Coordinates of all heavy atoms in Angstrom, one line a residue:
M1 N -2.3 13.6 -11.1 CA -2.6 12.3 -11.5 C -2.8 11.4 -10.2 O -2.1 11.5 -9.3 CB -1.6 11.7 -12.4 CG -1.9 10.3 -12.8 SD -0.7 9.4 -13.9 CE 0.5 10.5 -14.3
W2 N -3.8 10.5 -10.3 CA -4.1 9.6 -9.2 C -3.5 8.3 -9.5 O -3.5 7.8 -10.6 CB -5.6 9.4 -9.0 CG -6.3 10.5 -8.3 CD1 -6.8 11.7 -8.8 CD2 -6.6 10.5 -6.9 NE1 -7.4 12.4 -7.7 CE2 -7.3 11.7 -6.6 CE3 -6.3 9.6 -5.8 CZ2 -7.7 12.0 -5.3 CZ3 -6.7 9.9 -4.6 CH2 -7.4 11.1 -4.3
G3 N -3.0 7.6 -8.4 CA -2.6 6.2 -8.5 C -3.6 5.4 -7.6 O -3.9 5.9 -6.5
I4 N -4.1 4.3 -8.0 CA -5.0 3.5 -7.2 C -4.3 2.1 -6.9 O -3.9 1.4 -7.8 CB -6.3 3.3 -7.9 CG1 -7.0 4.7 -8.1 CG2 -7.2 2.4 -7.1 CD1 -8.2 4.6 -8.9
I5 N -4.3 1.8 -5.6 CA -3.7 0.5 -5.2 C -4.8 -0.4 -4.6 O -5.2 -0.1 -3.4 CB -2.5 0.7 -4.3 CG1 -1.4 1.5 -4.9 CG2 -2.0 -0.7 -3.8 CD1 -0.3 1.9 -4.0
P6 N -5.3 -1.4 -5.3 CA -6.3 -2.3 -4.7 C -5.6 -3.2 -3.7 O -4.7 -4.0 -4.0 CB -6.8 -3.1 -5.9 CG -5.9 -2.8 -7.0 CD -5.0 -1.7 -6.7
A7 N -5.9 -3.0 -2.4 CA -5.3 -3.8 -1.3 C -6.3 -4.3 -0.3 O -6.0 -4.5 0.9 CB -4.3 -2.9 -0.6
A8 N -7.5 -4.7 -0.8 CA -8.5 -5.1 0.1 C -8.6 -6.7 0.3 O -9.3 -7.2 1.1 CB -9.9 -4.6 -0.4
G9 N -7.7 -7.4 -0.5 CA -7.7 -8.8 -0.4 C -7.3 -9.4 0.9 O -6.6 -8.7 1.7
T10 N -7.7 -10.6 1.2 CA -7.3 -11.2 2.5 C -6.0 -11.9 2.5 O -5.5 -12.2 3.6 CB -8.4 -12.2 2.9 OG1 -8.5 -13.3 1.9 CG2 -9.8 -11.6 3.1
G11 N -5.4 -12.2 1.4 CA -4.2 -12.9 1.3 C -4.3 -14.3 1.8 O -3.3 -14.9 2.4
S12 N -5.4 -14.9 1.5 CA -5.7 -16.3 2.0 C -4.7 -17.3 1.5 O -4.4 -18.3 2.2 CB -7.1 -16.7 1.7 OG -7.3 -16.7 0.3
R13 N -4.0 -17.1 0.4 CA -3.1 -18.1 -0.1 C -1.7 -18.0 0.5 O -0.9 -18.9 0.4 CB -3.0 -17.9 -1.7 CG -4.3 -18.3 -2.4 CD -4.1 -18.3 -3.9 NE -3.8 -16.9 -4.4 CZ -4.8 -16.1 -4.8 NH1 -6.0 -16.4 -4.8 NH2 -4.4 -14.9 -5.2
I14 N -1.4 -17.0 1.3 CA -0.2 -16.8 1.9 C -0.3 -16.7 3.4 O 0.6 -16.3 4.1 CB 0.7 -15.7 1.4 CG1 0.0 -14.3 1.6 CG2 1.1 -15.9 -0.1 CD1 0.8 -13.1 1.3
Q15 N -1.5 -17.1 4.0 CA -1.7 -17.0 5.4 C -1.0 -18.1 6.1 O -0.6 -19.1 5.5 CB -3.2 -17.1 5.7 CG -4.0 -15.9 5.3 CD -3.5 -14.6 6.1 OE1 -3.2 -14.7 7.3 NE2 -3.6 -13.5 5.5
P16 N -0.6 -18.1 7.3 CA -1.0 -17.0 8.2 C 0.1 -15.9 8.3 O 1.3 -16.2 8.4 CB -1.1 -17.7 9.6 CG -0.1 -18.8 9.5 CD -0.1 -19.2 8.0
L17 N -0.3 -14.7 8.2 CA 0.6 -13.5 8.4 C 0.0 -12.7 9.5 O -1.2 -12.6 9.6 CB 0.7 -12.7 7.1 CG 1.5 -13.2 5.9 CD1 1.4 -12.3 4.7 CD2 3.0 -13.4 6.3
A18 N 0.8 -12.0 10.2 CA 0.3 -11.2 11.3 C 0.1 -9.7 10.8 O -0.2 -8.9 11.6 CB 1.3 -11.2 12.4
F19 N 0.2 -9.5 9.5 CA 0.0 -8.2 8.9 C -0.5 -8.4 7.5 O -0.5 -9.5 6.9 CB 1.4 -7.4 8.9 CG 2.5 -8.2 8.4 CD1 2.8 -8.3 7.0 CD2 3.3 -9.0 9.2 CE1 3.8 -9.0 6.5 CE2 4.4 -9.7 8.7 CZ 4.6 -9.7 7.4
S20 N -0.8 -7.3 6.9 CA -1.3 -7.3 5.5 C -0.2 -7.7 4.5 O 0.9 -7.3 4.7 CB -1.8 -5.9 5.1 OG -2.9 -5.5 5.9
K21 N -0.6 -8.4 3.5 CA 0.4 -8.9 2.6 C 1.2 -7.8 1.8 O 2.3 -8.0 1.4 CB -0.2 -9.9 1.6 CG -1.2 -9.3 0.7 CD -1.9 -10.3 -0.2 CE -2.9 -9.7 -1.1 NZ -4.2 -9.3 -0.4
E22 N 0.5 -6.6 1.7 CA 1.2 -5.5 1.1 C 2.3 -5.0 1.9 O 3.2 -4.2 1.4 CB 0.1 -4.4 0.9 CG -0.9 -4.7 -0.1 CD -2.1 -5.6 0.5 OE1 -2.2 -5.7 1.7 OE2 -2.9 -6.1 -0.3
L23 N 2.4 -5.3 3.1 CA 3.5 -4.9 4.0 C 4.6 -5.9 4.2 O 5.5 -5.8 5.0 CB 3.0 -4.5 5.4 CG 1.9 -3.3 5.3 CD1 1.4 -3.0 6.7 CD2 2.5 -2.1 4.7
L24 N 4.6 -7.0 3.4 CA 5.6 -8.0 3.5 C 6.9 -7.4 3.2 O 7.1 -6.7 2.2 CB 5.3 -9.1 2.4 CG 6.1 -10.4 2.5 CD1 5.8 -11.2 3.8 CD2 5.8 -11.2 1.3
P25 N 7.9 -7.6 4.1 CA 9.2 -7.0 3.9 C 10.0 -7.7 2.8 O 10.2 -8.9 2.8 CB 9.9 -7.1 5.2 CG 9.2 -8.2 6.0 CD 7.8 -8.3 5.4
V26 N 10.4 -6.9 1.8 CA 11.2 -7.3 0.7 C 12.3 -6.3 0.5 O 12.1 -5.2 0.0 CB 10.4 -7.5 -0.6 CG1 11.3 -7.9 -1.8 CG2 9.3 -8.5 -0.4
G27 N 13.5 -6.7 0.8 CA 14.6 -5.7 0.6 C 14.7 -4.7 1.7 O 14.1 -4.9 2.8
S28 N 15.4 -3.7 1.5 CA 15.6 -2.7 2.6 C 15.8 -1.3 2.0 O 16.0 -1.2 0.8 CB 16.8 -3.0 3.5 OG 18.0 -3.0 2.7
R29 N 15.8 -0.3 2.8 CA 16.0 1.1 2.4 C 16.8 1.8 3.5 O 16.8 1.3 4.6 CB 14.7 1.8 2.2 CG 13.8 1.9 3.4 CD 12.4 2.5 3.1 NE 11.4 2.2 4.1 CZ 11.2 2.9 5.2 NH1 12.0 4.0 5.4 NH2 10.3 2.6 6.0
I30 N 17.4 2.9 3.2 CA 18.2 3.7 4.1 C 17.3 4.8 4.6 O 16.8 5.6 3.7 CB 19.5 4.2 3.5 CG1 20.4 3.0 3.0 CG2 20.3 5.0 4.6 CD1 20.8 2.0 4.1
D31 N 17.0 4.9 5.8 CA 16.2 6.0 6.4 C 16.9 6.7 7.5 O 17.1 6.1 8.6 CB 14.9 5.3 6.9 CG 13.9 6.4 7.4 OD1 14.0 7.5 7.1 OD2 13.0 6.0 8.2
G32 N 17.4 7.9 7.2 CA 18.2 8.7 8.2 C 19.5 8.0 8.6 O 19.9 8.1 9.7
G33 N 20.1 7.3 7.7 CA 21.4 6.6 8.0 C 21.2 5.2 8.5 O 22.2 4.5 8.8
T34 N 20.0 4.8 8.7 CA 19.7 3.5 9.3 C 19.0 2.6 8.2 O 18.1 3.1 7.6 CB 18.8 3.6 10.5 OG1 19.3 4.5 11.5 CG2 18.5 2.2 11.2
E35 N 19.5 1.4 8.1 CA 18.9 0.4 7.2 C 17.6 -0.1 7.8 O 17.6 -0.6 8.9 CB 19.8 -0.7 6.8 CG 19.3 -1.6 5.7 CD 20.3 -2.6 5.3 OE1 21.3 -2.9 6.0 OE2 20.1 -3.2 4.2
R36 N 16.5 0.0 7.0 CA 15.2 -0.5 7.5 C 14.6 -1.4 6.5 O 14.8 -1.3 5.3 CB 14.2 0.7 7.8 CG 14.8 1.7 8.8 CD 13.6 2.4 9.4 NE 14.1 3.5 10.3 CZ 14.5 3.3 11.5 NH1 14.6 2.1 12.0 NH2 14.9 4.3 12.3
P37 N 13.7 -2.4 6.9 CA 13.0 -3.2 5.9 C 12.1 -2.4 5.0 O 11.6 -1.3 5.5 CB 12.2 -4.2 6.8 CG 12.7 -4.0 8.2 CD 13.4 -2.7 8.3
R38 N 11.9 -2.9 3.8 CA 11.1 -2.2 2.9 C 9.9 -3.0 2.5 O 10.0 -4.2 2.1 CB 11.9 -1.8 1.6 CG 11.2 -0.9 0.7 CD 12.2 -0.5 -0.4 NE 11.5 0.6 -1.2 CZ 12.0 1.1 -2.3 NH1 13.2 0.7 -2.7 NH2 11.4 2.0 -3.0
A39 N 8.7 -2.5 2.7 CA 7.5 -3.2 2.3 C 7.4 -3.4 0.8 O 7.8 -2.5 0.1 CB 6.2 -2.5 2.9
V40 N 6.8 -4.5 0.4 CA 6.7 -4.8 -1.1 C 5.9 -3.7 -1.8 O 6.2 -3.3 -2.9 CB 6.2 -6.2 -1.3 CG1 4.7 -6.3 -0.9 CG2 6.3 -6.6 -2.8
S41 N 4.9 -3.2 -1.1 CA 4.1 -2.1 -1.7 C 4.8 -0.8 -1.9 O 4.4 0.0 -2.7 CB 2.8 -1.9 -0.9 OG 3.1 -1.6 0.4
E42 N 5.9 -0.6 -1.2 CA 6.7 0.6 -1.3 C 7.3 0.8 -2.7 O 7.4 1.9 -3.2 CB 7.8 0.7 -0.3 CG 7.4 1.1 1.1 CD 8.6 1.3 2.0 OE1 9.4 2.2 1.7 OE2 8.7 0.5 3.0
Y43 N 7.6 -0.4 -3.3 CA 8.2 -0.3 -4.7 C 7.1 0.2 -5.7 O 7.4 1.0 -6.5 CB 8.6 -1.7 -5.1 CG 9.8 -2.2 -4.3 CD1 9.6 -3.1 -3.2 CD2 11.1 -1.9 -4.7 CE1 10.7 -3.5 -2.5 CE2 12.2 -2.3 -4.0 CZ 12.0 -3.1 -2.9 OH 13.1 -3.6 -2.1
L44 N 5.9 -0.2 -5.5 CA 4.8 0.2 -6.3 C 4.5 1.7 -6.1 O 4.4 2.5 -7.0 CB 3.5 -0.6 -6.0 CG 2.2 -0.2 -6.8 CD1 2.4 -0.2 -8.3 CD2 1.1 -1.0 -6.3
V45 N 4.4 2.1 -4.8 CA 4.2 3.5 -4.5 C 5.3 4.4 -5.1 O 5.1 5.4 -5.7 CB 4.1 3.7 -3.0 CG1 4.1 5.2 -2.6 CG2 2.9 3.1 -2.4
E46 N 6.6 4.0 -5.0 CA 7.7 4.7 -5.5 C 7.6 4.9 -7.0 O 7.8 6.0 -7.6 CB 9.0 4.0 -5.2 CG 10.2 4.8 -5.7 CD 11.5 4.0 -5.4 OE1 11.5 2.8 -5.6 OE2 12.4 4.7 -4.9
R47 N 7.2 3.8 -7.7 CA 7.1 3.9 -9.2 C 5.9 4.8 -9.6 O 6.0 5.5 -10.6 CB 6.9 2.5 -9.8 CG 8.0 1.5 -9.6 CD 9.3 2.0 -10.4 NE 10.3 1.1 -10.3 CZ 11.4 1.2 -9.6 NH1 11.5 2.2 -8.8 NH2 12.4 0.3 -9.6
M48 N 4.8 4.7 -8.8 CA 3.7 5.6 -9.2 C 4.1 7.1 -9.0 O 3.8 7.9 -9.9 CB 2.5 5.3 -8.3 CG 1.8 4.1 -8.6 SD 0.4 3.9 -7.5 CE -0.6 2.7 -8.4
V49 N 4.8 7.4 -8.0 CA 5.3 8.8 -7.8 C 6.3 9.2 -8.9 O 6.2 10.3 -9.5 CB 5.9 9.0 -6.4 CG1 6.6 10.3 -6.3 CG2 4.9 8.8 -5.3
L50 N 7.2 8.3 -9.3 CA 8.1 8.6 -10.4 C 7.4 8.8 -11.7 O 7.8 9.6 -12.5 CB 9.2 7.5 -10.5 CG 10.2 7.4 -9.4 CD1 11.1 6.2 -9.5 CD2 11.1 8.7 -9.3
A51 N 6.2 8.1 -11.8 CA 5.5 8.3 -13.1 C 4.6 9.5 -13.1 O 3.9 9.8 -14.1 CB 4.6 7.0 -13.3
G52 N 4.5 10.2 -12.0 CA 3.8 11.5 -11.9 C 2.6 11.5 -11.0 O 1.8 12.5 -11.0
A53 N 2.3 10.4 -10.3 CA 1.1 10.4 -9.4 C 1.4 11.3 -8.2 O 2.5 11.2 -7.6 CB 0.8 9.0 -8.9
R54 N 0.5 12.2 -7.9 CA 0.6 13.1 -6.8 C -0.4 12.8 -5.7 O -0.3 13.3 -4.6 CB 0.4 14.6 -7.2 CG 1.5 15.0 -8.2 CD 2.9 15.1 -7.5 NE 4.0 15.3 -8.5 CZ 4.9 14.3 -8.7 NH1 4.9 13.2 -8.1 NH2 5.8 14.6 -9.6
K55 N -1.3 11.9 -6.0 CA -2.3 11.4 -5.0 C -2.4 9.9 -5.2 O -2.5 9.5 -6.4 CB -3.6 12.1 -5.2 CG -3.6 13.6 -5.0 CD -5.0 14.2 -5.3 CE -4.9 15.7 -5.1 NZ -6.2 16.4 -5.4
I56 N -2.4 9.2 -4.2 CA -2.5 7.7 -4.2 C -3.5 7.3 -3.3 O -3.6 7.7 -2.1 CB -1.1 7.1 -3.9 CG1 -0.1 7.5 -4.9 CG2 -1.3 5.5 -3.8 CD1 1.3 7.0 -4.6
C57 N -4.4 6.4 -3.8 CA -5.5 5.9 -3.0 C -5.3 4.4 -2.8 O -5.2 3.6 -3.7 CB -6.9 6.2 -3.6 SG -8.3 5.5 -2.7
F58 N -5.2 3.9 -1.5 CA -5.2 2.5 -1.2 C -6.7 2.1 -1.0 O -7.4 2.7 -0.2 CB -4.4 2.3 0.1 CG -3.0 2.2 -0.1 CD1 -2.2 3.3 0.1 CD2 -2.3 1.0 -0.3 CE1 -0.8 3.3 -0.1 CE2 -1.0 0.9 -0.4 CZ -0.2 2.0 -0.3
V59 N -7.1 1.1 -1.7 CA -8.5 0.5 -1.4 C -8.2 -0.7 -0.5 O -7.6 -1.6 -0.8 CB -9.1 0.1 -2.7 CG1 -10.5 -0.5 -2.4 CG2 -9.2 1.2 -3.7
I60 N -8.7 -0.5 0.8 CA -8.5 -1.5 1.8 C -9.8 -2.1 2.3 O -10.9 -1.5 2.1 CB -7.7 -0.9 3.0 CG1 -8.4 0.3 3.6 CG2 -6.3 -0.5 2.5 CD1 -7.8 0.8 4.8
S61 N -9.7 -3.2 3.0 CA -10.8 -3.8 3.6 C -10.9 -3.3 5.1 O -10.0 -2.7 5.6 CB -10.7 -5.4 3.6 OG -9.6 -5.8 4.3
P62 N -12.1 -3.5 5.8 CA -12.2 -2.9 7.1 C -11.1 -3.2 8.1 O -10.8 -2.4 8.9 CB -13.6 -3.4 7.5 CG -14.3 -3.6 6.3 CD -13.3 -4.1 5.3
G63 N -10.5 -4.4 8.0 CA -9.5 -4.8 9.0 C -8.1 -4.4 8.7 O -7.2 -4.8 9.4
K64 N -7.8 -3.7 7.7 CA -6.5 -3.4 7.2 C -5.9 -2.1 7.7 O -5.4 -1.3 6.9 CB -6.4 -3.6 5.7 CG -6.4 -5.0 5.3 CD -5.9 -5.1 3.9 CE -5.5 -6.5 3.5 NZ -5.0 -6.6 2.2
S65 N -6.1 -1.7 8.9 CA -5.6 -0.5 9.4 C -4.1 -0.4 9.5 O -3.5 0.7 9.6 CB -6.2 -0.2 10.8 OG -5.8 -1.2 11.7
D66 N -3.4 -1.6 9.4 CA -1.9 -1.6 9.5 C -1.3 -0.8 8.3 O -0.3 -0.2 8.4 CB -1.4 -3.0 9.6 CG -1.8 -4.0 8.6 OD1 -2.7 -3.6 7.8 OD2 -1.2 -5.1 8.5
I67 N -2.0 -0.9 7.1 CA -1.5 -0.2 5.9 C -1.6 1.3 6.2 O -0.6 2.1 5.9 CB -2.3 -0.5 4.7 CG1 -2.0 -2.0 4.3 CG2 -1.9 0.4 3.5 CD1 -2.8 -2.5 3.2
L68 N -2.7 1.8 6.8 CA -2.8 3.2 7.1 C -1.8 3.6 8.1 O -1.2 4.7 8.0 CB -4.2 3.4 7.7 CG -4.7 4.9 7.8 CD1 -6.1 5.0 7.5 CD2 -4.5 5.3 9.3
E69 N -1.5 2.8 9.1 CA -0.5 3.1 10.2 C 0.9 3.2 9.6 O 1.7 4.0 10.0 CB -0.6 2.1 11.3 CG -1.9 2.2 12.1 CD -2.1 1.0 13.0 OE1 -1.1 0.2 13.3 OE2 -3.2 0.8 13.5
Y70 N 1.2 2.3 8.6 CA 2.5 2.2 8.0 C 2.8 3.5 7.2 O 3.8 4.1 7.2 CB 2.6 1.0 7.1 CG 4.0 0.7 6.6 CD1 5.0 0.1 7.3 CD2 4.3 1.1 5.3 CE1 6.2 -0.1 6.8 CE2 5.6 0.9 4.8 CZ 6.5 0.3 5.5 OH 7.8 0.0 5.0
Y71 N 1.8 3.8 6.3 CA 2.1 4.9 5.4 C 1.6 6.3 5.9 O 2.2 7.3 5.5 CB 1.4 4.6 4.0 CG 2.1 3.6 3.2 CD1 1.6 2.3 3.0 CD2 3.3 3.9 2.5 CE1 2.3 1.4 2.3 CE2 3.9 3.0 1.8 CZ 3.4 1.7 1.6 OH 4.1 0.8 0.9
G72 N 0.6 6.4 6.6 CA 0.1 7.7 7.1 C -0.6 8.5 6.0 O -1.3 7.9 5.2
G73 N -0.4 9.8 6.0 CA -1.1 10.7 5.1 C -0.3 11.0 3.9 O -0.9 11.6 2.9
S74 N 1.0 10.8 3.8 CA 1.8 11.1 2.6 C 3.0 10.2 2.6 O 3.5 9.7 3.6 CB 2.2 12.5 2.6 OG 3.1 12.8 3.7
V75 N 3.5 10.0 1.4 CA 4.8 9.3 1.2 C 5.4 9.8 0.0 O 4.8 10.2 -1.0 CB 4.5 7.8 1.1 CG1 3.7 7.4 -0.2 CG2 5.8 7.0 1.1
Y76 N 6.8 10.0 0.0 CA 7.5 10.6 -1.0 C 6.9 12.0 -1.2 O 6.7 12.8 -0.3 CB 7.6 9.8 -2.3 CG 8.3 8.4 -2.0 CD1 7.5 7.3 -2.2 CD2 9.6 8.3 -1.6 CE1 8.1 6.0 -2.0 CE2 10.2 7.1 -1.4 CZ 9.4 5.9 -1.6 OH 10.0 4.7 -1.3
S77 N 6.5 12.3 -2.4 CA 5.8 13.6 -2.6 C 4.3 13.5 -2.9 O 3.7 14.4 -3.4 CB 6.5 14.3 -3.8 OG 6.3 13.5 -5.0
A78 N 3.7 12.4 -2.6 CA 2.3 12.1 -2.9 C 1.5 12.1 -1.6 O 1.9 11.6 -0.5 CB 2.2 10.8 -3.5
D79 N 0.3 12.7 -1.7 CA -0.7 12.6 -0.6 C -1.4 11.3 -0.8 O -1.7 10.8 -1.9 CB -1.7 13.7 -0.8 CG -1.1 15.1 -0.5 OD1 -0.2 15.2 0.3 OD2 -1.5 16.1 -1.2
L80 N -1.8 10.7 0.4 CA -2.4 9.4 0.4 C -3.8 9.5 0.9 O -4.1 10.3 1.8 CB -1.7 8.4 1.3 CG -0.2 8.1 0.9 CD1 0.4 7.1 1.9 CD2 -0.1 7.5 -0.5
C81 N -4.7 8.7 0.4 CA -6.1 8.5 0.9 C -6.4 7.0 1.0 O -5.7 6.2 0.3 CB -7.1 9.3 0.1 SG -7.5 8.6 -1.5
Y82 N -7.4 6.7 1.7 CA -7.8 5.3 1.9 C -9.3 5.2 1.7 O -10.0 5.9 2.3 CB -7.4 4.8 3.3 CG -5.9 5.0 3.6 CD1 -5.4 6.2 4.1 CD2 -5.0 4.0 3.3 CE1 -4.0 6.3 4.3 CE2 -3.6 4.1 3.5 CZ -3.2 5.3 4.0 OH -1.8 5.5 4.2
A83 N -9.7 4.2 0.8 CA -11.1 4.0 0.6 C -11.3 2.5 1.1 O -10.6 1.6 0.8 CB -11.4 4.0 -0.9
V84 N -12.3 2.4 2.0 CA -12.7 1.1 2.5 C -13.7 0.4 1.7 O -14.8 0.9 1.4 CB -13.2 1.2 4.0 CG1 -13.5 -0.1 4.6 CG2 -12.1 1.9 4.8
Q85 N -13.3 -0.8 1.2 CA -14.3 -1.7 0.4 C -14.9 -2.6 1.5 O -14.2 -3.5 2.0 CB -13.5 -2.5 -0.6 CG -14.4 -3.3 -1.5 CD -13.5 -4.0 -2.6 OE1 -12.4 -4.3 -2.4 NE2 -14.2 -4.3 -3.7
P86 N -16.2 -2.4 1.8 CA -16.8 -3.1 2.9 C -16.8 -4.6 2.8 O -16.8 -5.3 3.8 CB -18.2 -2.5 3.0 CG -18.4 -1.7 1.8 CD -17.1 -1.5 1.1
R87 N -16.9 -5.1 1.6 CA -16.9 -6.6 1.4 C -16.2 -6.9 0.1 O -16.2 -6.1 -0.8 CB -18.4 -7.1 1.4 CG -19.2 -6.6 0.2 CD -20.6 -6.9 0.3 NE -21.4 -6.5 -0.9 CZ -21.4 -5.3 -1.4 NH1 -20.6 -4.4 -1.0 NH2 -22.1 -5.0 -2.5
P88 N -15.6 -8.1 0.0 CA -14.9 -8.4 -1.2 C -15.9 -8.5 -2.4 O -16.8 -9.2 -2.3 CB -14.3 -9.8 -0.9 CG -14.6 -10.1 0.5 CD -15.5 -9.1 1.0
A89 N -15.6 -7.7 -3.4 CA -16.5 -7.7 -4.6 C -15.7 -7.6 -5.9 O -16.2 -7.2 -6.9 CB -17.5 -6.5 -4.5
G90 N -14.4 -7.9 -5.8 CA -13.6 -8.0 -7.0 C -12.8 -6.7 -7.3 O -13.1 -5.6 -6.7
L91 N -11.9 -6.8 -8.2 CA -11.0 -5.7 -8.6 C -11.8 -4.5 -9.2 O -11.5 -3.4 -8.9 CB -10.0 -6.2 -9.6 CG -8.9 -5.2 -10.1 CD1 -8.2 -4.6 -8.9 CD2 -8.0 -5.9 -11.0
C92 N -12.7 -4.8 -10.1 CA -13.5 -3.7 -10.7 C -14.2 -2.9 -9.7 O -14.3 -1.7 -9.8 CB -14.5 -4.3 -11.8 SG -13.7 -4.9 -13.2
D93 N -14.8 -3.6 -8.7 CA -15.5 -2.8 -7.6 C -14.6 -2.0 -6.9 O -14.9 -0.8 -6.5 CB -16.2 -3.8 -6.7 CG -17.0 -3.1 -5.6 OD1 -18.0 -2.5 -6.0 OD2 -16.6 -3.2 -4.5
A94 N -13.4 -2.5 -6.6 CA -12.4 -1.7 -5.9 C -12.0 -0.4 -6.6 O -11.8 0.6 -6.0 CB -11.1 -2.6 -5.6
I95 N -11.8 -0.5 -7.9 CA -11.4 0.6 -8.7 C -12.5 1.7 -8.8 O -12.3 2.8 -8.6 CB -11.0 0.2 -10.2 CG1 -9.8 -0.8 -10.1 CG2 -10.7 1.4 -11.0 CD1 -8.6 -0.3 -9.5
F96 N -13.8 1.2 -9.0 CA -14.9 2.2 -9.0 C -15.2 2.7 -7.7 O -15.6 3.8 -7.5 CB -16.1 1.5 -9.7 CG -15.9 1.3 -11.1 CD1 -15.9 0.0 -11.7 CD2 -15.8 2.4 -12.0 CE1 -15.7 -0.2 -13.0 CE2 -15.6 2.2 -13.4 CZ -15.6 0.9 -13.9

């Protein structure tokens, strides 16, 4: 099962941020005995994996490489891919 996360928006209503809004730290997690900040999108990814998604696709805009750097190629038990939406064209365009 695929999970799709539309993340190509600019976040203009919460600017200025030095990073993508999907990486906004909310809460924390324990990683190897160390407490680390948890990105808001991690909650969504975790729920998708618990629901059975084994592949997750982030739809990002050309300048959002920080999401790719944060997550890499896999998270939990899911493989990740990234689709670049070249220009803002709405949620339906991101899904298709």
Side-chain angles (χ1 to χ4, degrees):
M1 180 180 354
W2 278 88
I4 300 174
I5 300 175
T10 61
S12 58
R13 292 184 296 267
I14 60 171
Q15 289 296 327
L17 287 176
F19 49 85
S20 296
K21 64 185 179 286
E22 293 81 12
L23 300 180
L24 189 67
V26 176
S28 61
R29 61 184 161 88
I30 304 298
D31 184 17
T34 304
E35 186 174 18
R36 302 204 185 281
R38 189 169 187 189
V40 67
S41 56
E42 282 186 63
Y43 294 97
L44 176 59
V45 169
E46 180 183 48
R47 295 294 187 258
M48 286 181 160
V49 170
L50 289 172
R54 295 294 168 245
K55 297 177 183 179
I56 297 175
C57 180
F58 278 91
V59 180
I60 59 174
S61 59
K64 286 197 164 182
S65 62
D66 56 348
I67 294 175
L68 190 141
E69 292 168 14
Y70 185 83
Y71 284 107
S74 65
V75 64
Y76 303 114
S77 61
D79 293 326
L80 300 180
C81 73
Y82 302 88
V84 178
Q85 186 180 24
R87 64 192 182 310
L91 183 59
C92 288
D93 182 70
I95 299 301
F96 288 116

